[in-house]
Amino acid sequence: MIIPRIAFLEVHDGTELPVDFHNQYHTHLYCHRGSIKFLLNDKKLHCKKGEFLFWFAESSISNISFSSNFKASILLVEKKFLYNNVPDQSWSIDAILYSRQFPIKPITNDSDKQKILSNFRSIYDRFLETDHRFYEEALKLQMQIFILEMWHTFANMYERHKRTLQTGTLYENFTQLLQQYCMQEREVQFYSTKLHITAKYLNQVCKNNTGITASEWIQRYTKERIIFLLQNKNLNIAEIANRMNFSSRSFFTRYVKKQIGVTPSEYRKRLEDRNKK
């Protein structure tokens, strides 16, 4: 079955959604009425009227249920198409990680609601315009504009979150530093020095707050970034290794294999094989 790169749906219950949609597509949802409940990484979440929901494709989502009066506008973007057209902005990865952590965002004014719905319609209309002389080029540019517009809509929310972390607890300050530096820094000592504490104490603080040490958090954030960058076919492996401040491609390859079980080349080969199916 050929999976459309983009689909736009006005949904009244879950039956209108494609089978296995949350594995094949990135989901953008604006809830007009009612609510949707689900588990994300075994955490119970609830998106209701006037809220925006974003799910990354292949997220750990289960137990999806809709209220009887549910109504939503939903834009589905095929996972590979979106990843291949993410604008190369300095804060894009941090914004993406923020969306993974906070998939539900309240929409507090009608202007933002209309921007979101207009953005849904613009990208879908461009997708349907197959007779455009420069269809592929125009669609890819529209995809980038779509992402930039969504980032713009939620930029203030993201910045408020950053400021909250900056004035928060020691653990929250650590996560802020981690978001800022983990592309280049992967040692606990770097972060503990920034926080003016010992590496042992930072590990203890993280363990007490989350059950996970600072070292494990660093590995998780780094792994997330590596996977995201490997999904961008516009970057070769040497460029990714350089972006992440690895001393050589061979060292990067060994690190990736330790973190995700396969080399960067093997990971990309698996992606290609899966997308061919």
Side-chain angles (χ1 to χ4, degrees):
M1 180 183 72
I2 297 176
I3 299 171
R5 284 183 287 186
I6 296 172
F8 178 66
L9 306 167
E10 297 289 353
V11 174
H12 293 82
D13 61 55
T15 60
E16 297 103 325
L17 290 164
V19 176
D20 201 32
F21 73 96
H22 53 279
N23 284 319
Q24 302 293 346
Y25 293 97
H26 302 283
T27 303
H28 310 73
L29 180 153
Y30 179 81
C31 184
H32 296 282
R33 189 177 65 217
S35 64
I36 173 174
K37 296 180 180 179
F38 58 96
L39 293 179
L40 176 61
N41 297 320
D42 297 322
K43 180 180 179 181
K44 292 182 180 179
L45 293 174
H46 183 195
C47 176
K48 56 187 182 297
K49 177 182 176 180
E51 293 182 333
F52 174 82
L53 169 65
F54 179 71
W55 286 333
F56 284 90
E58 299 182 316
S59 294
S60 181
I61 299 168
S62 60
N63 292 30
I64 302 171
S65 64
F66 306 88
S67 67
S68 58
N69 62 336
F70 177 73
K71 179 183 178 182
S73 296
I74 301 179
L75 184 86
L76 303 175
V77 182
E78 190 270 324
K79 56 187 175 181
K80 183 179 177 182
F81 183 66
L82 187 144
Y83 276 133
N84 287 345
N85 292 286
V86 172
D88 188 14
Q89 298 292 318
S90 59
W91 61 281
S92 62
I93 296 179
D94 285 340
I96 288 167
L97 287 176
Y98 169 72
S99 292
R100 285 192 184 279
Q101 188 178 2
F102 302 100
I104 299 170
K105 302 169 180 63
I107 307 303
T108 57
N109 60 70
D110 192 62
S111 175
D112 283 345
K113 170 189 172 181
Q114 294 307 321
K115 284 180 182 177
I116 290 169
L117 297 178
S118 175
N119 207 22
F120 283 9
R121 176 55 63 184
S122 293
I123 184 67
Y124 187 61
D125 286 348
R126 178 63 68 190
F127 169 68
L128 294 177
E129 197 177 357
T130 55
D131 59 347
H132 193 290
R133 184 178 294 272
F134 304 102
Y135 177 73
E136 289 294 331
E137 293 83 355
L139 182 60
K140 289 176 181 178
L141 286 172
Q142 191 70 49
M143 185 75 254
Q144 292 187 41
I145 292 170
F146 173 88
I147 295 170
L148 290 172
E149 289 291 347
M150 298 306 289
W151 285 351
H152 170 73
T153 299
F154 298 113
N156 289 337
M157 199 177 300
Y158 173 62
E159 292 298 330
R160 282 197 301 272
H161 173 69
K162 286 180 66 176
R163 288 194 295 272
T164 300
L165 291 178
Q166 288 166 353
T167 59
T169 66
L170 188 60
Y171 166 71
E172 290 169 336
N173 288 332
F174 164 65
T175 61
Q176 171 63 26
L177 289 171
L178 192 52
Q179 290 179 16
Q180 184 176 354
Y181 290 109
C182 80
M183 284 284 284
Q184 289 80 35
E185 302 293 343
R186 288 171 286 278
E187 298 295 332
V188 177
Q189 186 64 56
F190 170 84
Y191 298 96
S192 63
T193 298
K194 285 277 188 184
L195 295 167
H196 309 291
I197 59 175
T198 66
K200 182 178 180 180
Y201 183 57
L202 178 56
N203 271 318
Q204 181 182 331
V205 167
C206 291
K207 186 77 172 178
N208 290 343
N209 275 273
T210 67
I212 299 172
T213 65
S215 178
E216 290 173 305
W217 275 118
I218 293 168
Q219 290 178 15
R220 287 190 178 194
Y221 270 70
T222 305
K223 178 181 176 181
E224 186 81 38
R225 281 162 164 74
I226 288 171
I227 289 174
F228 174 75
L229 291 171
L230 286 174
Q231 290 171 333
N232 184 349
K233 68 178 183 180
N234 296 318
L235 295 173
N236 62 46
I237 293 171
E239 288 173 327
I240 297 172
N242 184 60
R243 281 192 180 200
M244 299 197 70
N245 204 29
F246 284 88
S247 57
S248 67
R249 173 171 170 169
S250 60
F251 181 45
F252 174 67
T253 297
R254 291 195 298 272
Y255 184 89
V256 172
K257 186 165 186 179
K258 182 179 179 181
Q259 294 300 317
I260 65 176
V262 294
T263 67
S265 298
E266 288 169 341
Y267 180 82
R268 283 192 157 171
K269 179 66 165 55
R270 288 184 179 183
L271 280 180
E272 292 175 4
D273 292 343
R274 189 166 27 176
N275 288 326
K276 289 177 183 177
K277 292 180 181 180

